[in-house]
């Protein structure tokens, strides 16, 4: 039995971009489709009207995320990206606006309550302000944090570091102090030809060994009858212990491969005490 559902498993982008740009009209500054995703660039002051139209007239019910992007080379360096989801169409689109460090972006908390938290995150990490957001506070960084860590000109180590002081019994903030090794960076790629010897490359100048040592036979290892005879010599001949006892040193055992096979054990069993008992003659 075939069951039809109002929400498709897969939604195509065919015709969606043209339909949305036509519906939004003069608010649209540009649009593109890359990697299977549609993004529409709109005017900053029209973002609330654009998102309301997409929500009410084109069934993009949910605001999934608001993200920030920093392009330091642009006049308006920041880009705010709104990601929308249509549950009934199973489709996603992105709306984008641009701004600078001082110009605020209209808030969309009038359309989605969760936008308050998302706008606070963009403000905290990028410094973008939102006009109309009544609770625009930092949300991820610590109290008293200065700067915005996701800006491209913000150092990865930051400007201050915090630690707990046992003397003052509180958390203290101090300027970041790095060792010289961490403050001097060499961005020269080894494949582009560095003017110094890279660690490990000094071994490349060592000439190869002409006669490598091998152990392919007894001659190479030093084994053989002469070596065995040398090892059997009495190094401590005439030692005081031997003179007093009068006993000769016990000879070294013969090599196991030269020993004759042991005679077969007599007895009814092999691994018990009875194995050592002689067999009884039967009367």
């Amino acid at each position: 039995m075939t069951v039809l559902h109002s929400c498709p498993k897969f939604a195509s982008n065919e015709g969606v971009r043209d339909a949305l740009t036509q519906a939004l009209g003069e608010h649209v500054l540009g649009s593109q489709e890359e990697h299977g995703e549609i993004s529409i660039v709109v005017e900053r002051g029209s973002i609330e009207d654009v998102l309301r139209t997409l929500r009410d007239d084109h069934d993009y019910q949910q605001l999934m995320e608001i993200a920030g992007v920093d392009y330091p080379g642009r006049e308006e360096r920041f880009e705010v990206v709104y990601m929308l989801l249509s549950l009934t169409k199973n489709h996603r689109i992105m709306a984008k606006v641009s701004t600078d460090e001082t110009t605020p972006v209209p808030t969309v908390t009038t359309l989605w309550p969760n936008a308050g938290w998302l706008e606070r995150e963009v403000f905290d990490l990028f410094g973008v302000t939102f006009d109309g957001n009544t609770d625009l506070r930092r949300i991820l960084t610590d109290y008293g944090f200065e700067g915005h860590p996701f800006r491209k000109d913000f150092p990865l180590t930051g400007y201050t570091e915090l630690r707990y002081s046992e003397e003052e019994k509180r958390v203290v903030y101090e300027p970041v102090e790095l060792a010289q090794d961490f403050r001097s960076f060499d961005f020269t790629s080894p494949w582009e030809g560095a003017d110094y010897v890279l660690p490990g490359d000094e071994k490349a100048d060592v000439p190869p060994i002409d006669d490598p040592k091998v152990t392919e036979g007894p001659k190479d290892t030093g084994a053989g009858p002469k070596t065995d005879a040398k090892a059997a010599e009495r190094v401590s001949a005439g030692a005081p212990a031997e003179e007093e006892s009068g006993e000769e040193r016990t000879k070294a055992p013969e090599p196991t491969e030269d020993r004759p096979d042991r005679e077969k054990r007599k007895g009814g069993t092999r691994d018990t005490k009875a194995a050592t008992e002689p067999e009884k003659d039967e009367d």
Side-chain angles (χ1 to χ4, degrees):
M1 179 178 177
T2 304
V3 178
L4 299 179
H5 199 277
S6 58
C7 181
K9 293 183 178 180
F10 177 81
S12 173
N13 287 337
E14 185 177 358
V16 176
R17 176 183 171 188
D18 296 335
L20 293 180
T21 53
Q22 184 176 359
L24 298 176
E26 59 183 7
H27 300 305
V28 178
L29 300 178
S31 63
Q32 62 181 357
E33 180 178 347
E34 291 182 349
H35 310 293
E37 298 179 343
I38 297 176
S39 59
I40 303 174
V41 182
V42 301
E43 293 183 352
R44 179 175 56 251
S46 304
I47 185 61
E48 183 180 2
D49 296 333
V50 168
L51 296 185
R52 180 181 287 107
T53 301
L54 293 175
R55 184 194 66 177
D56 298 341
D57 300 340
H58 299 276
D59 299 329
Y60 289 93
Q61 300 95 347
Q62 290 192 357
L63 173 65
M64 303 302 296
E65 179 66 282
I66 301 178
V69 188
D70 184 13
Y71 299 97
R74 296 183 182 180
E75 183 177 355
E76 293 184 343
R77 61 182 294 185
F78 300 113
E79 197 172 70
V80 183
V81 185
Y82 300 83
M83 305 177 188
L84 306 181
L85 169 65
S86 173
L87 297 175
T88 54
K89 297 179 180 179
N90 192 16
H91 195 264
R92 297 173 185 265
I93 61 170
M94 294 184 293
K96 301 180 180 180
V97 297
S98 298
T99 186
D100 53 26
E101 300 179 7
T102 58
T103 306
V105 177
T107 183
V108 294
T109 53
T110 55
L111 304 177
W112 291 283
N114 67 317
W117 291 80
L118 302 176
E119 290 176 354
R120 286 178 59 183
E121 182 179 355
V122 176
F123 163 73
D124 190 4
L125 300 179
F126 292 92
V128 177
T129 57
F130 293 87
D131 186 18
N133 190 322
T134 58
D135 190 22
L136 199 62
R137 297 173 294 146
R138 291 186 180 272
I139 192 173
L140 295 177
T141 55
D142 195 14
Y143 299 104
F145 188 89
E146 296 182 1
H148 304 281
F150 273 16
R151 289 186 177 183
K152 294 294 181 63
D153 52 5
F154 192 88
L156 295 177
T157 57
Y159 296 103
T160 59
E161 58 185 358
L162 59 90
R163 64 177 179 85
Y164 182 78
S165 175
E166 288 290 348
E167 298 177 355
E168 302 183 21
K169 301 300 181 181
R170 66 180 181 88
V171 176
V172 296
Y173 291 82
E174 298 174 338
V176 174
E177 295 183 1
L178 298 177
Q180 181 65 33
D181 295 342
F182 293 95
R183 286 189 282 116
S184 297
F185 298 95
D186 182 10
F187 297 99
T188 305
S189 173
W191 292 274
E192 296 175 358
D195 56 355
Y196 55 89
V197 179
L198 295 173
D201 284 358
E202 68 276 2
K203 302 176 183 178
D205 298 332
V206 178
I209 300 176
D210 296 332
D211 298 324
K213 184 176 179 59
V214 295
T215 56
E216 297 178 353
K219 182 178 180 181
D220 299 323
T221 60
K226 294 183 178 181
T227 304
D228 296 340
K230 184 70 175 177
E233 292 182 359
R234 295 179 57 181
V235 179
S236 59
E242 292 187 353
E243 294 178 356
E244 293 177 2
S245 62
E247 297 180 359
E248 294 289 338
R249 192 180 67 171
T250 305
K251 295 183 179 180
E254 297 294 333
T256 55
E257 59 269 16
D258 298 337
R259 293 180 183 179
D261 295 338
R262 185 173 55 182
E263 295 182 1
K264 186 176 180 180
R265 179 177 294 174
K266 297 180 180 181
T269 58
R270 293 194 173 188
D271 297 330
T272 61
K273 181 179 180 182
T276 59
E277 297 177 357
E279 297 180 350
K280 297 181 179 181
D281 297 333
E282 295 181 358
D283 296 336

